[in-house]
Amino acid sequence: MASNQNPPTPIPQEEQDLPNSKTALLSFNTDPPSTHKPTFKTNKTIFFSLLFTTFTAVIAAISFAVLFFSSTVKPGHEPIIRTTARTLTKLPHPIVLLISSDGFRFGYQFKAPTPNIHRLINNGTEAELGLISVFPTLTFPNHYSIATGLYPPYHGIINNRFVDPITGDKFTMSSHEPKWWLGEPLWETVTKHGKKAATYFWPGSEVKRKFWDCPVDYCMLYNGSVPFEDRVNTVLNYFDLPSDEIPVFMTLYFEDPDHQGHQVGPDDPEITKAVVRIDEMIGKLIKGLEERGVFEDVNIIMVGDHGMVGTCDKKLIYLDDLAPWVEIPSDWVQNYTPLLAIRPPPEISAADIVAKMNEGLQSGKVENGNNLKMYLKEDLPSRLHYVDSYRIPPIIGLLEESFKVEQKKSNKMECGGAHGYDNAFFSMRTIFIGHGPQFAEGRKVPSFENVQIYNLITSILNIEGAPNNGTDSFSNSVLLPDA
Ligand SMILES: *[C@@H]1O[C@H](CO)[C@@H](O)[C@H](O)[C@H]1NC(C)=O
Ligand SMILES: *[C@@H]1O[C@H](CO)[C@@H](O)[C@H](O)[C@H]1NC(C)=O
Ligand SMILES: *[C@@H]1O[C@H](CO)[C@@H](O)[C@H](O)[C@H]1NC(C)=O
Ligand SMILES: [Zn+2]
């Protein structure tokens, strides 16, 4: 890599995805950070707290609905529904600001009053039941699917960390060598068309490419210590440039509330605080854009990368418990949980391992065994799109929601949160909100997969995108046509 780049910096925190990026890839130490505190919740308290959170969410949803309707529908006045894109008043061309709030599970927007996020929702277009992540529902695969419109096997980032089986090279969340990152991310598509892009953090954005050299001042090198306020200010400052120099595509990334979600699970008051703080950042952004007279001209797309679900030690499956059927040495295991990925040595039949593991898991003699099912990757449900890459290990295990896999029993007694599960679980969904000239006010659209976002953004910017896994007609169903 070019020498003017900083040394590898910390990486977004991710549950078993390493507090420290230098941890050996094949290590089976899945100790979460020491901040995980033991909890002694009984089933009953969990049940009641779930009941309570559900109840609160419903009440919150109803009160927001009431607020929304009472503020937009005045007696005797129908709300004005736009049917075509708004003409720009200040900016000379469309601009897209893509914001990611990591681990923003769908439904978090009802945890607390979030007036700024709700302003975007009420005056914009929302995926009514959330945005569907790609499988595996992890940070790096998902952010790069959003950026490229490709399912993970086609963009190459098949996990937050993995080994290339041919070279033996290890990918970690601080690997910026171009060889890992396939496909064409939005910042490159934009610059390829002679337009300007700016990235305030996004997995893959620091990687140099044919049409993207990660320019100083427009491509921030990842540093999780940069206060959120500074990130918002930098983005706002781009709008002070002469109008033809303002980047037409910008990214903005926040690590929260994923960070808190891993430590305390999705239902803790810590999450509520983190959500409120993200809302404040959105408020700061809106205010700054309004002061510059461009808020209504900018297309803001706010998303998350995946959801979050609570995990507790009671829901564990130990690979060593399978020993009577088959031994799984830890050095075959590339990832434990929630995506169990196993690469046995080439002389060993993967099909045989899968059969023996499933026999053990279904025998009724392995604790929680029926909550894990093993597959040869080519036998995984095709809706997961998780087969077409030599980087994906041959054996993949699918876990029931909330369960975890470990090598062997330990004394750990933590409850926290995780993601990475099957993207069909509702808890893995995140948010999609579009606000701006091309988005209808108050519109709800059905849930869709995040690989559609690439085409949505190239449509707004009027540029031709690279081939991808989104559908061509998708943009027509979400964006307003030009006037
Ligand atoms: C919603 O957008 C319209 C312009 O399309 C604007 O007049 C109105 O003030 C906005 N409402 C809010 C709550 O921002
Ligand atoms: C990361 O950001 C913090 C806060 O802005 C700063 O103090 C620190 O020097 C930065 N680290 C690097 C390696 O740039
Ligand atoms: C996804 O897109 C890539 C690039 O166009 C293509 O090679 C691949 O076949 C597509 N896969 C699916 C499942 O559509
Ligand atoms: Zn994430």
Side-chain angles (χ1 to χ4, degrees):
M1 289 299 296
S3 52
N4 67 346
Q5 300 260 318
N6 286 348
T9 43
I11 45 171
Q13 271 233 321
E14 189 81 48
E15 186 185 44
Q16 281 79 9
D17 306 334
L18 313 181
N20 165 5
S21 62
K22 294 186 181 64
T23 308
L25 190 72
L26 291 172
S27 132
F28 57 90
N29 172 13
T30 55
D31 285 357
S34 54
T35 43
H36 287 217
K37 49 180 183 291
T39 72
F40 304 97
K41 278 187 181 170
T42 64
N43 273 333
K44 216 189 253 171
T45 48
I46 292 168
F47 175 77
F48 281 114
S49 70
L50 277 175
L51 197 67
F52 177 72
T53 14
T54 313
F55 185 70
T56 337
V58 169
I59 296 291
I62 292 168
S63 27
F64 278 121
V66 168
L67 271 176
F68 171 54
F69 286 114
S70 58
S71 62
T72 51
V73 188
K74 306 258 164 13
H77 292 82
E78 289 296 307
I80 302 147
I81 308 281
R82 255 188 320 131
T83 53
T84 55
R86 214 167 29 232
T87 42
L88 303 181
T89 58
K90 186 121 187 237
L91 295 172
H93 46 61
I95 288 184
V96 174
L97 170 54
L98 177 63
I99 306 168
S100 165
S101 172
D102 203 307
F104 199 112
R105 170 173 163 170
F106 178 78
Y108 277 4
Q109 69 272 32
F110 302 122
K111 273 186 172 290
T114 47
N116 301 299
I117 293 173
H118 271 82
R119 188 166 164 196
L120 299 183
I121 292 174
N122 294 342
N123 226 355
T125 298
E126 180 191 29
E128 189 164 22
L129 294 174
L131 177 67
I132 303 170
S133 307
V134 295
F135 180 79
T137 51
L138 296 168
T139 300
F140 270 52
N142 273 280
H143 275 98
Y144 208 50
S145 284
I146 294 168
T148 58
L150 296 167
Y151 292 114
Y154 310 103
H155 67 49
I157 308 303
I158 54 121
N159 204 314
N160 286 339
R161 55 201 166 87
F162 57 89
V163 178
D164 183 314
I166 296 171
T167 60
D169 292 349
K170 289 166 186 168
F171 174 85
T172 71
M173 290 187 276
S174 38
S175 299
H176 298 145
E177 301 90 347
K179 66 176 181 188
W180 299 109
W181 304 82
L182 315 178
E184 186 182 290
L186 281 161
W187 42 90
E188 185 181 29
T189 305
V190 165
T191 50
K192 194 169 109 180
H193 284 82
K195 297 172 190 282
K196 212 150 115 183
T199 52
Y200 211 122
F201 305 161
W202 202 273
S205 60
E206 295 169 52
V207 178
K208 301 214 172 184
R209 312 185 56 91
K210 188 164 173 206
F211 295 100
W212 175 254
D213 61 358
C214 188
V216 182
D217 297 338
Y218 293 98
C219 167
M220 300 303 152
L221 306 183
Y222 186 70
N223 175 355
S225 308
V226 177
F228 292 170
E229 286 81 358
D230 293 8
R231 308 179 192 189
V232 172
N233 283 332
T234 301
V235 165
L236 288 173
N237 288 341
Y238 292 137
F239 288 92
D240 296 329
L241 291 166
S243 59
D244 56 345
E245 285 176 35
I246 305 176
V248 304
F249 173 69
M250 309 175 196
T251 71
L252 175 58
Y253 170 79
F254 302 115
E255 290 82 354
D256 296 353
D258 181 74
H259 173 71
Q260 295 81 1
H262 282 299
Q263 296 180 353
V264 294
D267 297 322
D268 191 278
E270 280 295 306
I271 298 293
T272 313
K273 280 199 314 212
V275 166
V276 166
R277 181 154 156 67
I278 293 296
D279 187 68
E280 285 165 4
M281 291 305 110
I282 300 299
K284 179 175 168 59
L285 183 75
I286 293 175
K287 184 160 170 282
L289 292 173
E290 280 182 329
E291 281 164 5
R292 290 161 176 84
V294 294
F295 175 56
E296 296 293 340
D297 275 4
V298 177
N299 291 285
I300 296 176
I301 296 179
M302 181 176 180
V303 297
D305 51 346
H306 51 71
M308 183 69 70
V309 72
T311 56
C312 281
D313 264 0
K314 286 190 284 288
K315 294 184 170 179
L316 279 168
I317 296 153
Y318 303 107
L319 294 184
D320 282 0
D321 288 354
L322 291 171
W325 293 270
V326 57
E327 284 200 32
I328 309 294
S330 61
D331 60 357
W332 294 7
V333 183
Q334 303 228 341
N335 310 87
Y336 277 89
T337 200
L339 177 69
L340 176 61
I342 299 175
R343 186 183 295 284
E347 67 277 11
I348 294 193
S349 155
D352 194 40
I353 302 291
V354 167
K356 286 177 173 154
M357 287 182 79
N358 280 334
E359 197 190 325
L361 291 167
Q362 288 153 20
S363 68
K365 292 173 189 151
V366 171
E367 201 181 338
N368 294 321
N370 52 358
N371 296 292
L372 171 64
K373 189 161 183 221
M374 303 307 301
Y375 294 85
L376 285 174
K377 66 177 174 183
E378 52 273 24
D379 296 335
L380 282 169
S382 59
R383 64 180 173 78
L384 296 176
H385 303 286
Y386 201 60
V387 58
D388 279 342
S389 167
Y390 73 99
R391 294 176 180 177
I392 300 173
I395 301 175
I396 298 293
L398 292 187
L399 274 172
E400 281 302 324
E401 198 176 31
S402 287
F403 283 82
K404 294 199 279 189
V405 179
E406 288 179 7
Q407 185 71 33
K408 57 175 184 291
K409 262 198 185 69
S410 69
N411 295 327
K412 280 181 291 174
M413 262 288 287
E414 317 89 2
C415 289
H419 54 85
Y421 299 95
D422 191 334
N423 62 351
F425 291 127
F426 194 66
S427 59
M428 294 297 109
R429 282 202 198 168
T430 179
I431 49 163
F432 172 89
I433 308 164
H435 181 282
Q438 295 222 225
F439 292 100
E441 281 110 25
R443 182 156 166 198
K444 305 293 176 204
V445 294
S447 294
F448 56 88
E449 284 188 306
N450 66 19
V451 293
Q452 302 287 6
I453 293 173
Y454 180 92
N455 285 343
L456 199 64
I457 292 176
T458 55
S459 298
I460 297 173
L461 298 178
N462 270 314
I463 55 180
E464 199 187 325
N468 66 83
N469 301 131
T471 40
D472 290 334
S473 57
F474 178 77
S475 306
N476 301 332
S477 64
V478 173
L479 299 179
L480 291 172
D482 289 331

PDB file of all heavy atoms in Angstrom, residues 82 86 119 123 295-296 435 441, ligand 1:
ATOM      1  N   ARG A  82     -46.490  14.611  -3.186  1.00  0.00           N
ATOM      2  CA  ARG A  82     -45.735  14.858  -4.423  1.00  0.00           C
ATOM      3  C   ARG A  82     -45.734  13.600  -5.266  1.00  0.00           C
ATOM      4  O   ARG A  82     -45.613  12.497  -4.743  1.00  0.00           O
ATOM      5  CB  ARG A  82     -44.290  15.188  -4.057  1.00  0.00           C
ATOM      6  CG  ARG A  82     -43.959  16.636  -4.194  1.00  0.00           C
ATOM      7  CD  ARG A  82     -42.491  16.902  -4.011  1.00  0.00           C
ATOM      8  NE  ARG A  82     -41.839  16.141  -2.949  1.00  0.00           N
ATOM      9  CZ  ARG A  82     -40.713  15.480  -3.129  1.00  0.00           C
ATOM     10  NH1 ARG A  82     -40.151  15.426  -4.319  1.00  0.00           N
ATOM     11  NH2 ARG A  82     -40.149  14.848  -2.133  1.00  0.00           N
ATOM     12  N   ARG A  86     -38.679  16.606  -6.707  1.00  0.00           N
ATOM     13  CA  ARG A  86     -38.627  18.050  -6.500  1.00  0.00           C
ATOM     14  C   ARG A  86     -37.470  18.638  -7.329  1.00  0.00           C
ATOM     15  O   ARG A  86     -36.425  18.005  -7.425  1.00  0.00           O
ATOM     16  CB  ARG A  86     -38.344  18.300  -5.022  1.00  0.00           C
ATOM     17  CG  ARG A  86     -38.991  19.514  -4.489  1.00  0.00           C
ATOM     18  CD  ARG A  86     -38.975  19.615  -2.974  1.00  0.00           C
ATOM     19  NE  ARG A  86     -37.885  18.973  -2.286  1.00  0.00           N
ATOM     20  CZ  ARG A  86     -38.064  18.122  -1.276  1.00  0.00           C
ATOM     21  NH1 ARG A  86     -39.273  17.779  -0.898  1.00  0.00           N
ATOM     22  NH2 ARG A  86     -37.023  17.620  -0.654  1.00  0.00           N
ATOM     23  N   ARG A 119     -38.238  12.801  11.580  1.00  0.00           N
ATOM     24  CA  ARG A 119     -38.472  13.836  10.562  1.00  0.00           C
ATOM     25  C   ARG A 119     -38.126  13.272   9.184  1.00  0.00           C
ATOM     26  O   ARG A 119     -38.848  13.485   8.218  1.00  0.00           O
ATOM     27  CB  ARG A 119     -37.606  15.054  10.887  1.00  0.00           C
ATOM     28  CG  ARG A 119     -37.933  16.183  10.003  1.00  0.00           C
ATOM     29  CD  ARG A 119     -37.335  17.471  10.514  1.00  0.00           C
ATOM     30  NE  ARG A 119     -37.377  18.428   9.426  1.00  0.00           N
ATOM     31  CZ  ARG A 119     -36.691  19.540   9.406  1.00  0.00           C
ATOM     32  NH1 ARG A 119     -35.914  19.847  10.429  1.00  0.00           N
ATOM     33  NH2 ARG A 119     -36.779  20.353   8.376  1.00  0.00           N
ATOM     34  N   ASN A 123     -41.178  12.594   6.520  1.00  0.00           N
ATOM     35  CA  ASN A 123     -41.129  13.417   5.314  1.00  0.00           C
ATOM     36  C   ASN A 123     -40.323  12.716   4.220  1.00  0.00           C
ATOM     37  O   ASN A 123     -39.836  13.364   3.304  1.00  0.00           O
ATOM     38  CB  ASN A 123     -40.510  14.785   5.659  1.00  0.00           C
ATOM     39  CG  ASN A 123     -41.324  15.919   5.066  1.00  0.00           C
ATOM     40  OD1 ASN A 123     -42.276  15.687   4.330  1.00  0.00           O
ATOM     41  ND2 ASN A 123     -40.913  17.141   5.354  1.00  0.00           N
ATOM     42  N   PHE A 295     -30.822  21.490   2.682  1.00  0.00           N
ATOM     43  CA  PHE A 295     -31.408  20.273   3.248  1.00  0.00           C
ATOM     44  C   PHE A 295     -32.412  19.618   2.298  1.00  0.00           C
ATOM     45  O   PHE A 295     -32.383  18.409   2.075  1.00  0.00           O
ATOM     46  CB  PHE A 295     -32.065  20.572   4.603  1.00  0.00           C
ATOM     47  CG  PHE A 295     -32.801  19.399   5.188  1.00  0.00           C
ATOM     48  CD1 PHE A 295     -32.158  18.182   5.411  1.00  0.00           C
ATOM     49  CD2 PHE A 295     -34.156  19.493   5.519  1.00  0.00           C
ATOM     50  CE1 PHE A 295     -32.844  17.086   5.950  1.00  0.00           C
ATOM     51  CE2 PHE A 295     -34.843  18.404   6.056  1.00  0.00           C
ATOM     52  CZ  PHE A 295     -34.185  17.201   6.263  1.00  0.00           C
ATOM     53  N   GLU A 296     -33.303  20.423   1.718  1.00  0.00           N
ATOM     54  CA  GLU A 296     -34.331  19.837   0.850  1.00  0.00           C
ATOM     55  C   GLU A 296     -33.751  19.374  -0.493  1.00  0.00           C
ATOM     56  O   GLU A 296     -34.403  18.659  -1.235  1.00  0.00           O
ATOM     57  CB  GLU A 296     -35.471  20.835   0.612  1.00  0.00           C
ATOM     58  CG  GLU A 296     -36.253  21.224   1.868  1.00  0.00           C
ATOM     59  CD  GLU A 296     -37.067  20.072   2.478  1.00  0.00           C
ATOM     60  OE1 GLU A 296     -37.347  19.089   1.771  1.00  0.00           O
ATOM     61  OE2 GLU A 296     -37.406  20.162   3.670  1.00  0.00           O
ATOM     62  N   HIS A 435     -34.682  10.344   2.144  1.00  0.00           N
ATOM     63  CA  HIS A 435     -35.299  11.666   2.282  1.00  0.00           C
ATOM     64  C   HIS A 435     -34.650  12.611   1.280  1.00  0.00           C
ATOM     65  O   HIS A 435     -33.431  12.663   1.185  1.00  0.00           O
ATOM     66  CB  HIS A 435     -35.079  12.190   3.712  1.00  0.00           C
ATOM     67  CG  HIS A 435     -35.698  13.533   3.966  1.00  0.00           C
ATOM     68  ND1 HIS A 435     -35.128  14.711   3.538  1.00  0.00           N
ATOM     69  CD2 HIS A 435     -36.849  13.876   4.597  1.00  0.00           C
ATOM     70  CE1 HIS A 435     -35.891  15.717   3.902  1.00  0.00           C
ATOM     71  NE2 HIS A 435     -36.944  15.239   4.554  1.00  0.00           N
ATOM     72  N   GLU A 441     -42.855  11.923   0.214  1.00  0.00           N
ATOM     73  CA  GLU A 441     -43.055  12.178   1.637  1.00  0.00           C
ATOM     74  C   GLU A 441     -44.024  11.150   2.233  1.00  0.00           C
ATOM     75  O   GLU A 441     -45.067  10.876   1.653  1.00  0.00           O
ATOM     76  CB  GLU A 441     -43.605  13.591   1.852  1.00  0.00           C
ATOM     77  CG  GLU A 441     -42.531  14.655   1.761  1.00  0.00           C
ATOM     78  CD  GLU A 441     -42.659  15.510   0.516  1.00  0.00           C
ATOM     79  OE1 GLU A 441     -43.757  15.625  -0.016  1.00  0.00           O
ATOM     80  OE2 GLU A 441     -41.617  16.048   0.069  1.00  0.00           O
TER      81      GLU A 441
HETATM   82  C1  LIG B   1     -41.572  18.260   4.724  1.00  0.00           C
HETATM   83  O1  LIG B   1     -41.162  18.697   3.434  1.00  0.00           O
HETATM   84  C2  LIG B   1     -41.818  19.841   2.926  1.00  0.00           C
HETATM   85  C3  LIG B   1     -41.211  20.146   1.574  1.00  0.00           C
HETATM   86  O2  LIG B   1     -41.417  19.103   0.688  1.00  0.00           O
HETATM   87  C4  LIG B   1     -41.625  21.006   3.863  1.00  0.00           C
HETATM   88  O3  LIG B   1     -42.397  22.084   3.408  1.00  0.00           O
HETATM   89  C5  LIG B   1     -42.040  20.613   5.275  1.00  0.00           C
HETATM   90  O4  LIG B   1     -41.736  21.660   6.159  1.00  0.00           O
HETATM   91  C6  LIG B   1     -41.326  19.360   5.710  1.00  0.00           C
HETATM   92  N1  LIG B   1     -41.748  18.967   7.025  1.00  0.00           N
HETATM   93  C7  LIG B   1     -40.875  18.709   7.997  1.00  0.00           C
HETATM   94  C8  LIG B   1     -41.492  18.276   9.302  1.00  0.00           C
HETATM   95  O5  LIG B   1     -39.692  18.808   7.837  1.00  0.00           O
END
